[in-house]
């Protein structure tokens, strides 16, 4: 038996030995063909990419409207589908500077799925904004992901008469008498956060942008819907709110794991919360004033006057739902519009005052002159007092000039627009570059310098408005200008006062690269050390 097995083994072995050279040869042949296949695939891939890119660029170059003799602006459409989106996300400030140098103050690109023209000069922006709303629209120009976050009834998304009506209603919550009501909430919140930054006797290291974001998150939830931390004990709403902001600009694919899916899920948490507050506010008789309270009282009255037929239950339910959707969409919009914008502004306050200690000293001198520096307690800042602090207000204006939180305003062309020596075809996105117009105009001398004093020169602002109406636009322009401007300036003033009198701080990476999407901030979130001011 064992002999038989041995014999079988021997014969198998000898056949294997005979076959071996063939096997090696086969292996070599297989490796060679594998290499050929890989090279051929790569070559095919590159050729396809090359051809698609040529077709992509040719296609958009040929989109020009033949009824106009003007050419498209200079620029490039980048890669198929993604265009130049990645260039801007990864390149940050360098990409913008290079483009401006290469193409000048108006150039074409392809961003977030749409052919886009960026305009970097105040004169061109003035010309374009004069064509609104006939030839350019606003809400529809926003990327799909942004529109989905705001909601269909949001003031930011609706247009025409509907926009004017919703904005008029919302603006009732931003008049001075209301701002006075919000001031104690703002001051208490700012003091609470700055105190936590300076706790202990030594230095506290933290990320400045994240610190400001947490502060503003509390601030906005309290002012918009009257929600304190107790009503969000596990911080889920705050977290969802940050997720919405972080994923505002993303590819609008609702697939699990993708940014858009996460953002939509987070928006539901924020919207559910606003709905719960709406239900509670309806039945609450508490006298506390939040933006939501003001809106409920005004919008509720209008809704009753205009929409409800007393005997028509169905119509009444539909209009109540419309009213609730409008309130919720607009609360979410106020959260989003007022969160990272103000966080960015506060972070820039810290950055620019730390980099310019002589300006911080001048600011403290003004506070001292009002006996505000050494004292410091809750409710010691009145609306009128804040309005009278001219250096504080100049700091705000200069921070927003040097580092505008919103770098660009989005519009969509409805028809072909001719602009000086080029055309922008219909359905193209136009971005008015706020950063560009603050830099590329004759209104400001020593543009790169942080100089609050320029705003204190007699007649400076009047001259600016009269001669260069579009040269300063941190809060946008025209009918779409920021609804929360005065609230934002109030929040900034309180922050400037409190941080200057309560804290000393040092930047650990003062010259960090800046990123612009979704908002202006240092790429490393600004590591900083804080300590209590002596
Ligand atoms: C420093 C802080 C802020 C900056 C720099 C800022 C900037 C802007 C800009 C540039 C626009 C115009 C967008 C466009 O033309 O397309 C805008 C619109 C808007 N902002 Fe602000 N914003 C700030 C704070 C706030 C706050 C605190 C709120 C509310 C709580 C707010 C609510 C809005 C709303 C609702 C709009 C849309 C107005 C419309 O479409 O008619 N913003 N903001």
């Amino acid at each position: 038996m064992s002999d038989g097995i041995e014999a079988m083994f021997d014969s198998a072995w000898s056949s294997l030995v005979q076959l071996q050279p063939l096997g090696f040869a086969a292996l070599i042949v297989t490796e060679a063909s594998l290499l050929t296949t890989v090279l051929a695939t790569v070559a095919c891939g590159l050729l396809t990419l090359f051809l698609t890119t040529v077709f992509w660029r040719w296609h958009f170059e040929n989109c020009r409207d033949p009824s106009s003799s003007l050419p498209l602006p200079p620029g490039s459409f980048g890669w198929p589908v993604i265009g130049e989106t990645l260039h801007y996300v990864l390149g940050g400030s360098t990409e913008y500077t290079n483009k401006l140098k290469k193409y000048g103050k108006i150039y074409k690109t392809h961003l977030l799925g749409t052919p886009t023209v960026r305009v970097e000069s105040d004169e061109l922006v003035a010309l374009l904004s004069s064509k609104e709303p006939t030839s350019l629209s606003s809400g529809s120009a926003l990327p799909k992901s942004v529109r989905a976050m705001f909601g269909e009834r949001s003031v930011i998304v609706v247009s025409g008469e509907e926009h004017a009506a919703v904005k008029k209603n919302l603006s009732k919550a931003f008049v001075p008498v209301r701002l006075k009501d919000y001031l104690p909430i703002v001051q208490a919140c700012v003091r609470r956060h700055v105190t936590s930054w300076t706790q202990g006797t030594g230095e506290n290291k933290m990320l400045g942008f994240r610190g400001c974001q947490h502060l503003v998150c509390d601030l906005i939830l309290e002012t918009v819907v009257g929600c304190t931390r107790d009503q969000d004990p596990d911080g889920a709403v705050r977290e969802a709110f940050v997720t919405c902001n972080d994923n505002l600009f993303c590819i609008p694919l609702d697939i699990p794991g993708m940014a858009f899916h996460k953002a939509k899920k987070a928006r539901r948490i924020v919207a559910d919360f606003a709905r719960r507050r709406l239900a509670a506010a309806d039945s609450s008789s508490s006298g506390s004033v939040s933006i939501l309270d003001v809106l409920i009282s005004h919008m509720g009255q209008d809704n009753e006057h205009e929409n409800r037929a007393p005997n028509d239950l169905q119509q009444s339910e539909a209009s109540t739902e419309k009213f609730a959707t409008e309130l919720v969409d607009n609360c979410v919009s106020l959260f989003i519009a007022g969160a990272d914008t103000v966080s960015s502004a506060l972070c820039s306050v810290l950055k620019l005052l730390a980099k310019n200690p002589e300006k911080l000293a001048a600011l403290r001198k003004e506070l001292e002159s009002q006996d505000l520096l050494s004292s410091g307690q809750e409710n010691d800042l009145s609306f009128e007092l804040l309005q009278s602090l001219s250096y504080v207000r100049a700091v705000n204006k200069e921070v927003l000039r040097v580092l505008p939180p919103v770098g660009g305003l989005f519009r969509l062309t409805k028809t072909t627009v001719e602009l000086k020596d080029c055309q922008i075809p219909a359905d193209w996105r136009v971005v008015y570059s706020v950063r560009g117009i603050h830099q590329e105009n004759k209104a400001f001398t020593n543009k790169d310098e942080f100089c609050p004093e320029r705003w204190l020169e007699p007649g400076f602002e009047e001259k600016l408005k009269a001669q260069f109406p579009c040269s300063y636009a941190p809060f946008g322009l025209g009918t779409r200008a920021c609804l929360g401007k005065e609230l934002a300036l109030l929040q900034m003033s309180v922050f400037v006062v409190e941080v200057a009198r309560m804290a000393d701080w040092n930047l650990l990476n003062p010259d960090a690269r800046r990123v612009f999407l979704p908002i202006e901030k240092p790429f490393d979130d600004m590591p900083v050390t804080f300590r209590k001011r002596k």
Side-chain angles (χ1 to χ4, degrees), residues 155-156 163 167 337-338 341 405-406 409 411 474-476 479-482 484 488:
V155 64
I156 301 170
H163 168 255
K167 195 163 185 173
T341 45
V406 179
L409 313 178
R411 301 291 183 262
F475 291 105
T479 52
R480 287 280 169 178
C482 179

Side-chain angles (χ1 to χ4, degrees), residues 138 142 155-157 163 167 170 174 220 224 291 333-335 337-339 341-342 345 400 404-406 408-411 434 473-477 479-485 487-488 491-492:
S138 305
L142 291 168
V155 64
I156 301 170
V157 171
H163 168 255
K167 195 163 185 173
L170 294 176
F174 295 90
I220 203 109
V224 175
I291 291 177
S333 299
L334 293 180
F335 286 157
T341 45
V342 179
L400 296 172
V406 179
L409 313 178
F410 291 77
R411 301 291 183 262
V434 176
F475 291 105
L477 301 156
T479 52
R480 287 280 169 178
C482 179
L483 184 67
K485 177 181 169 189
L487 176 62
Q491 294 168 339
M492 283 182 77

Side-chain angles (χ1 to χ4, degrees), residues 483-510:
L483 184 67
K485 177 181 169 189
E486 295 306 327
L487 176 62
L489 290 172
L490 180 85
Q491 294 168 339
M492 283 182 77
S493 291
V494 172
F495 181 75
V496 168
V497 172
E498 295 298 4
V499 84
R501 64 183 179 172
M502 291 171 75
D504 281 314
W505 64 100
N506 284 320
L507 306 181
L508 299 180
N509 185 13

Side-chain angles (χ1 to χ4, degrees), residues 85 256 362 365 380 414 430 443 506 531:
T85 309
K365 209 168 156 198
D380 68 345
K414 292 177 175 171
V430 179
N506 284 320
R531 64 193 171 282

Side-chain angles (χ1 to χ4, degrees), residues 55-295:
F55 175 74
W56 168 261
R57 294 181 184 182
W58 173 84
H59 166 71
F60 284 111
E61 287 296 345
N62 282 288
C63 277
R64 58 176 293 278
D65 179 352
S67 69
S68 160
S69 59
L70 297 175
L72 296 175
S76 154
F77 293 109
W79 299 98
V81 186
I82 55 168
E84 294 195 311
T85 309
L86 275 184
H87 296 58
Y88 282 93
V89 172
L90 302 177
S93 49
T94 323
E95 185 66 19
Y96 293 91
T97 320
N98 290 346
K99 282 272 196 295
L100 188 65
K101 265 193 211 144
K102 193 166 170 191
Y103 301 121
K105 292 180 184 175
I106 175 163
Y107 57 86
K108 63 178 185 286
T109 175
H110 198 286
L111 283 178
L112 300 160
T114 313
T116 301
V117 169
R118 279 189 66 91
V119 183
E120 307 271 350
S121 100
D122 62 326
E123 285 163 14
L124 295 177
V125 167
L127 277 175
L128 276 170
S129 59
S130 69
K131 296 175 194 280
E132 288 180 27
T134 330
S135 307
L136 291 123
S137 64
S138 305
S140 49
L142 291 168
K144 193 178 164 196
S145 60
V146 181
R147 284 205 310 272
M149 283 306 103
F150 288 136
E152 59 181 16
R153 304 283 309 148
S154 156
V155 64
I156 301 170
V157 171
V158 293
S159 55
E161 283 174 15
E162 202 177 6
H163 168 255
V166 177
K167 195 163 185 173
K168 192 171 158 220
N169 276 332
L170 294 176
S171 61
K172 289 167 186 153
F174 295 90
V175 293
V177 65
R178 292 302 173 204
L179 297 181
K180 285 181 192 176
D181 289 337
Y182 312 142
L183 180 56
I185 306 175
V186 176
Q187 197 191 353
C189 193
V190 169
R191 286 186 67 85
R192 200 168 63 238
H193 278 264
V194 178
T195 304
S196 77
W197 298 351
T198 56
Q199 242 157 22
T201 46
E203 305 231 312
N204 296 328
K205 190 175 164 192
M206 58 180 267
L207 291 175
F209 180 75
R210 292 291 158 189
C212 293
Q213 214 177 24
H214 287 143
L215 187 166
V216 175
C217 210
D218 280 354
L219 198 61
I220 203 109
L221 282 172
E222 283 193 40
T223 34
V224 175
V225 285
C227 161
T228 57
R229 269 196 173 261
D230 308 347
Q231 284 148 331
D232 178 31
D234 57 355
V237 180
R238 279 157 174 80
E239 198 184 314
F241 183 25
V242 173
T243 308
C244 288
N245 280 312
D246 285 351
N247 296 293
L248 208 52
F249 291 88
C250 62
I251 299 167
L253 287 179
D254 195 0
I255 298 171
M258 301 277 289
F260 188 57
H261 185 77
K262 274 190 231 162
K264 276 185 80 173
K265 208 167 140 192
R267 191 207 189 264
R268 274 197 294 277
I269 298 175
V270 177
D272 285 349
F273 176 78
R275 263 181 198 275
R276 282 201 303 277
R277 292 291 302 156
L278 176 60
D282 259 347
S283 57
S284 102
S285 57
S286 102
S288 73
V289 181
S290 68
I291 291 177
L292 183 72
D293 296 317
V294 179
L295 297 182

Side-chain angles (χ1 to χ4, degrees), residues 455-470:
W455 298 95
L456 301 174
E457 270 172 42
F460 176 75
E461 289 198 54
E462 290 73 19
K463 187 176 145 203
L464 194 68
K465 275 183 199 136
Q467 291 182 14
F468 309 98
C470 291

